[in-house]
Amino acid sequence: MNAKNLPIKFGLLALLVLMSIWSLFANKVQLGIDLRGGHSLVFEIRTGEAEIARLSGELAKKEALLAGATDPGLQEQLKTQIAGIKDTIAALEQERGNLGDLQERMIALLKARIDPQGLSSLDWRPMHPNRIEIRMPAGRKESLQAKLAYDRELEKLDAGNIEPYRLEQISSEKDPQVRQAMVAELSGGDQRRADLFAQYVQAVDRKAAITAGIEEIRVALAAVPTSTAAPTADQIALADKLESQLAELDVTNSQVSDIRRALLGTNLHRSAIDSVFQSYLTSREAAGIKSSQELEARRQRFNDGLAGLMEKHPTRKEQLEVLVARYKEWAESRRQLDDPSDLIRMIRNAGVLEFRIAPLLATAPGHVGSGFISAQRANQYIEILKNPEEGPEALRRRNDEYLWMPIRAGSDKYTGMITAETGGQKYLLVHNRPAHTMLQNRSDRRWALDRAGVTNDDSGRWAVSFTFNDAGARLFGNMTASHHGQQMAVLLDDEVYSAPTIQATITTSGIITGSFTIDDAKHLARTLEAGSLPAKLNPEPVSMNTFGASLGEENLRQAIRAGIYGAIVVVAFMLVYYLLSGAIANVALALNVLLVLGAMSMLNAVFTLPGIAGVILTIGMAVDANVLIYERLREEQQKGLSIRMAIKNAYERAFSAIFDSNLTTLITCVVLGWVTTEEVRGFAITLGLGVV
């Protein structure tokens, strides 16, 4: 035993013990599927068969239209659309041809993103023919209770929103008293809503009256005898009146639509709430932010966003205050994978990074070219977005020159660019032509990332850096060189994260900014580094089931009881046989168990039933080491050596045997952790930590 630097060694030991105790109280130890139960989620892999069939039919229609088209402009447009459809079909065909080990490749990539260290006790299973099952442990009790309380408040807020079908009911209701009761219920004490409903009822009644008048005029016109002579004065008067009524009906229809849109605009959408709550910092996240300015800015963003919601919805202020309190309780207690919704959110990321130039709104006659769009044309695209019959996907279906892409909640501002909002989601207009894009899954434009990692932006906020391979660096350099001074939208999985101005030619690397938490940034970096999935995975599970502990509560209690009894026997033996030395060894055993559990808590490793066996075996190995040392100590004392020299020789000469046994055990733990199932991996982790 080396007696040098004992104060430093004991100080380090005390620090580790305090850290373990703090982590156990703050994070606790998460139980695995076999001890707590969990959730089974089955996801389906989209192999593209149905999409290829649909696109082939659309391609045939476009080619038929091209064969009969005579207008040069229409011909050019159809040729572009046909080329885009063929590119998509070719990419899908290529994916379909590489499906041999698709499930295993998908599982390997998802593991690298979601649980790279294998500490979350996720169980991945391929299912015939094109599905993947993921089994995850149930969340902690306090986190689940907090989530349920938060969900209940969200449902109360949703109940206060106006559904479009309720407006149709008001329009068709003839009984004034019933209609008044419906309006009072939907107004909910909100004076602004009440005023809008009053205008809506008047406009709807006026529309009904005009429509009835038009029908009467048409009936009167039909009753007038027709003749080849010039129309009579009555016919002319009726025709003029009909034209006037039709014009008035158009105006009234427009008013009804405007008021209807205003009423639906009073709804408090979950997307708006999520956008605000995304800026909330938990105590753990706040502790990880080094910049006091960024810390204050994040807190100010949350407070400003919340104040804006309450100002826009004053009658729902109390509900929002309760919702905020419930969200804070849940946010403080939750962990990365506490709920199936967390896993679904992480699965949803396909890992496709792309870049598109975003045109600016022309504000002067000199603004011409692809970098700008006139206000008139921008309004046309906005009308398409807000039209319920078209929406954001209409431009993609047409393979238009521009596309609407959703903006990630809480991301940067987009001054000067064309943005619009519909259904509570904000969108950015971006280019859709090869000269203004850098996309993936194109046969002639293969590129990838070499690496990705977590960094900070100029304001000290968490961000994600990335570095291209040679092909990517060349393409990115060409794109940035061709669009100096323009805005480049950075998209991940077709969602806009930021749109910085291109100031100079950039080749090898870039950065993705946004209101990220450290967990968001780490997951995004892992997603990019693992690469995009070889096929599309349906983000909504085909099935989702919850199950209890596989061994049952009674078996669990018996296992823990056996572990406790075994530990008591070991402790008693050491005390009786070795007396004071045995007491010292028992203290060391307790510290060993404490350090193992503390390390598992700090690593967010999941504790399984085999993990309990690993802890018990760790105790046995530690006792074995103590027995070797103490028996050697007795031999050295029998030789007549001083106590100091006897202790030194006992530790030194027993070390080789202890080292050999621990090293072989550690090798076994590494192999088990590498090749075995998730439950048995818990045994390897606990035993390995104990050995170390």
Side-chain angles (χ1 to χ4, degrees):
M1 182 180 70
N2 190 352
K4 293 181 180 179
N5 302 318
L6 281 181
I8 296 176
K9 293 177 180 178
F10 278 111
L12 178 61
L13 177 62
L15 177 62
L16 291 174
V17 169
L18 290 174
M19 288 175 61
S20 297
I21 293 173
W22 171 83
S23 183
L24 285 172
F25 274 100
N27 299 331
K28 297 184 173 56
V29 175
Q30 301 183 55
L31 300 182
I33 294 174
D34 54 353
L35 299 183
R36 176 175 289 171
H39 311 280
S40 169
L41 294 88
V42 177
F43 295 90
E44 186 174 40
I45 303 172
R46 298 175 182 170
T47 57
E49 297 289 343
E51 185 66 10
I52 289 175
R54 185 189 69 80
L55 289 172
S56 298
E58 187 175 341
L59 178 62
K61 292 179 182 178
K62 298 288 185 185
E63 289 176 339
L65 288 173
L66 178 62
T70 56
D71 180 57
L74 178 60
Q75 288 178 342
E76 188 63 30
Q77 182 180 1
L78 288 170
K79 286 179 182 178
T80 304
Q81 292 175 357
I82 288 171
I85 294 172
K86 286 182 176 179
D87 286 346
T88 305
I89 291 176
L92 290 171
E93 290 281 2
Q94 186 174 1
E95 289 175 7
R96 186 172 63 177
N98 296 320
L99 296 180
D101 58 347
L102 179 62
Q103 290 169 306
E104 297 297 337
R105 285 186 290 145
M106 295 280 281
I107 288 175
L109 276 172
L110 290 171
K111 274 186 178 180
R113 295 178 183 184
I114 296 171
D115 188 23
Q117 284 82 35
L119 301 177
S120 298
S121 192
L122 296 179
D123 188 10
W124 307 77
R125 301 178 181 182
M127 297 180 67
H128 184 77
N130 61 334
R131 293 181 177 181
I132 295 172
E133 181 190 17
I134 307 175
R135 299 169 76 236
M136 62 176 289
R140 296 175 303 157
K141 185 176 181 181
E142 55 269 30
S143 178
L144 293 175
Q145 290 175 341
K147 177 66 163 56
L148 287 173
Y150 173 64
D151 286 341
R152 282 195 294 268
E153 294 303 321
L154 274 178
E155 289 172 2
K156 291 179 184 178
L157 277 175
D158 286 342
N161 287 338
I162 302 172
E163 296 293 338
Y165 78 89
R166 299 300 302 274
L167 297 178
E168 300 301 331
Q169 288 178 342
I170 291 174
S171 300
S172 59
E173 181 57 53
K174 304 301 181 185
D175 189 328
Q177 292 183 344
V178 175
R179 177 188 277 182
Q180 186 176 1
M182 293 170 62
V183 167
E185 176 192 351
L186 293 175
S187 296
D190 188 331
Q191 188 58 45
R192 184 189 171 208
R193 274 189 176 179
D195 293 340
L196 286 171
F197 269 120
Q199 298 173 27
Y200 182 72
V201 169
Q202 291 176 2
V204 166
D205 288 344
R206 186 163 60 252
K207 176 182 175 181
I210 295 171
T211 303
I214 290 173
E215 289 303 314
E216 290 178 1
I217 295 172
R218 285 176 172 163
V219 170
L221 277 172
V224 175
T226 57
S227 66
T228 56
T232 65
D234 289 341
Q235 288 177 317
I236 293 173
L238 287 172
D240 290 342
K241 189 175 181 180
L242 177 61
E243 185 178 353
S244 173
Q245 290 289 289
L246 288 172
E248 189 174 352
L249 181 62
D250 288 340
V251 173
T252 305
N253 279 332
S254 179
Q255 291 174 348
V256 170
S257 298
D258 291 342
I259 300 170
R260 177 190 175 91
R261 193 178 298 114
L263 279 169
L264 295 177
T266 64
N267 286 341
L268 184 50
H269 295 285
R270 290 198 181 191
S271 57
I273 296 171
D274 292 341
S275 178
V276 173
F277 285 176
Q278 196 166 16
S279 298
Y280 175 73
L281 284 174
T282 64
S283 55
R284 296 187 306 277
E285 293 167 351
I289 295 180
K290 301 175 182 178
S291 169
S292 59
Q293 292 181 344
E294 170 60 13
L295 187 63
E296 184 60 33
R298 286 285 297 272
R299 286 172 173 165
Q300 191 62 44
R301 274 202 298 274
F302 173 73
N303 292 332
D304 291 346
L306 186 59
L309 280 181
M310 291 183 175
E311 182 180 355
K312 188 176 180 180
H313 306 277
T315 59
R316 311 179 85 175
K317 182 177 179 181
E318 292 183 5
Q319 279 184 303
L320 280 170
E321 288 174 346
V322 175
L323 182 71
V324 170
R326 296 292 175 267
Y327 178 81
K328 288 181 177 179
E329 291 172 3
W330 175 48
E332 293 293 341
S333 65
R334 70 183 297 190
R335 295 296 179 267
Q336 188 178 25
L337 281 171
D338 259 351
D339 188 79
S341 61
D342 297 326
L343 180 62
I344 293 171
R345 175 177 53 83
M346 299 175 79
I347 288 285
R348 186 172 285 116
N349 295 333
V352 178
L353 179 67
E354 297 181 330
F355 306 89
R356 295 176 184 267
I357 298 299
L360 298 174
L361 184 63
T363 57
H367 290 164
V368 293
S370 60
F372 295 91
I373 287 185
S374 67
Q376 180 181 1
R377 194 176 182 194
N379 287 333
Q380 291 174 350
Y381 281 114
I382 292 173
E383 288 177 5
I384 293 173
L385 174 69
K386 294 189 174 183
N387 188 338
E389 296 180 359
E390 294 189 285
E393 290 299 318
L395 300 180
R396 189 186 294 275
R397 289 194 297 267
R398 300 174 190 170
N399 195 22
D400 198 280
E401 183 181 357
Y402 298 96
L403 297 179
W404 285 112
M405 289 295 181
I407 297 174
R408 180 180 183 269
S411 56
D412 297 341
K413 295 181 179 179
Y414 299 87
T415 306
M417 287 169 271
I418 295 93
T419 60
E421 185 174 336
T422 183
Q425 173 66 56
K426 193 173 183 180
Y427 291 84
L428 175 70
L429 192 68
V430 295
H431 269 284
N432 190 37
R433 291 291 178 262
H436 303 83
T437 60
M438 181 174 166
L439 309 178
Q440 293 187 2
N441 296 327
R442 296 287 179 90
S443 58
D444 59 334
R445 313 183 77 185
R446 289 293 177 190
W447 60 274
L449 299 180
D450 270 347
R451 57 182 177 273
V454 178
T455 184
N456 296 103
D457 62 13
D458 295 337
S459 302
R461 299 181 299 176
W462 292 113
V464 177
S465 62
F466 56 86
T467 303
F468 293 106
N469 63 0
D470 291 339
R474 184 171 60 255
L475 288 169
F476 199 64
N478 293 338
M479 181 176 177
T480 53
S482 305
H483 298 92
H484 282 187
Q486 297 185 41
Q487 314 295 130
M488 179 182 65
V490 181
L491 299 98
L492 181 65
D493 299 332
D494 282 344
E495 191 175 25
V496 180
Y497 275 68
S498 59
T501 303
I502 301 174
Q503 304 287 3
T505 301
I506 308 170
T507 55
T508 57
S509 61
I511 186 173
I512 303 174
T513 60
S515 298
F516 298 125
T517 64
I518 180 61
D519 289 338
D520 289 338
K522 286 180 179 178
H523 174 62
L524 179 55
R526 288 200 304 266
T527 298
L528 291 173
E529 196 155 41
S532 57
L533 296 176
K536 290 183 179 180
L537 191 69
N538 191 339
E540 297 302 324
V542 176
S543 67
M544 183 166 61
N545 300 307
T546 300
F547 52 87
S550 58
L551 298 175
E553 293 185 4
E554 181 58 32
N555 288 340
L556 173 59
R557 280 195 293 269
Q558 290 179 3
I560 295 176
R561 191 182 302 125
I564 293 174
Y565 289 166
I568 290 173
V569 171
V570 170
V571 168
F573 169 79
M574 295 298 289
L575 281 174
V576 171
Y577 194 72
Y578 291 111
L579 302 177
L580 179 61
S581 296
I584 295 172
N586 287 335
V587 172
L589 288 177
L591 291 178
N592 191 6
V593 174
L594 176 64
L595 293 175
V596 170
L597 297 179
M600 292 189 69
S601 176
M602 283 184 268
L603 293 171
N604 288 323
V606 174
F607 202 55
T608 61
L609 189 67
I612 297 176
V615 172
I616 296 172
L617 186 55
T618 297
I619 294 174
M621 291 187 63
V623 169
D624 177 64
N626 279 296
V627 169
L628 286 173
I629 293 169
Y630 290 162
E631 291 301 317
R632 187 72 190 191
L633 178 61
R634 284 179 173 175
E635 293 176 4
E636 296 295 326
Q637 285 183 302
Q638 289 172 0
K639 294 178 182 178
L641 297 176
S642 66
I643 186 65
R644 184 181 182 87
M645 185 57 66
I647 291 175
K648 181 177 184 296
N649 289 344
Y651 272 90
E652 287 180 352
R653 292 173 182 177
F655 177 75
S656 60
I658 296 172
F659 180 79
D660 289 345
S661 63
N662 280 270
L663 180 60
T664 53
T665 303
L666 191 60
I667 292 172
T668 304
C669 292
V670 171
V671 174
L672 282 176
W674 184 263
V675 303
T676 192
T677 62
E678 305 300 329
E679 288 85 357
V680 179
R681 184 172 293 150
F683 171 81
I685 291 172
T686 52
L687 182 57
L689 287 172
V691 168
V692 171

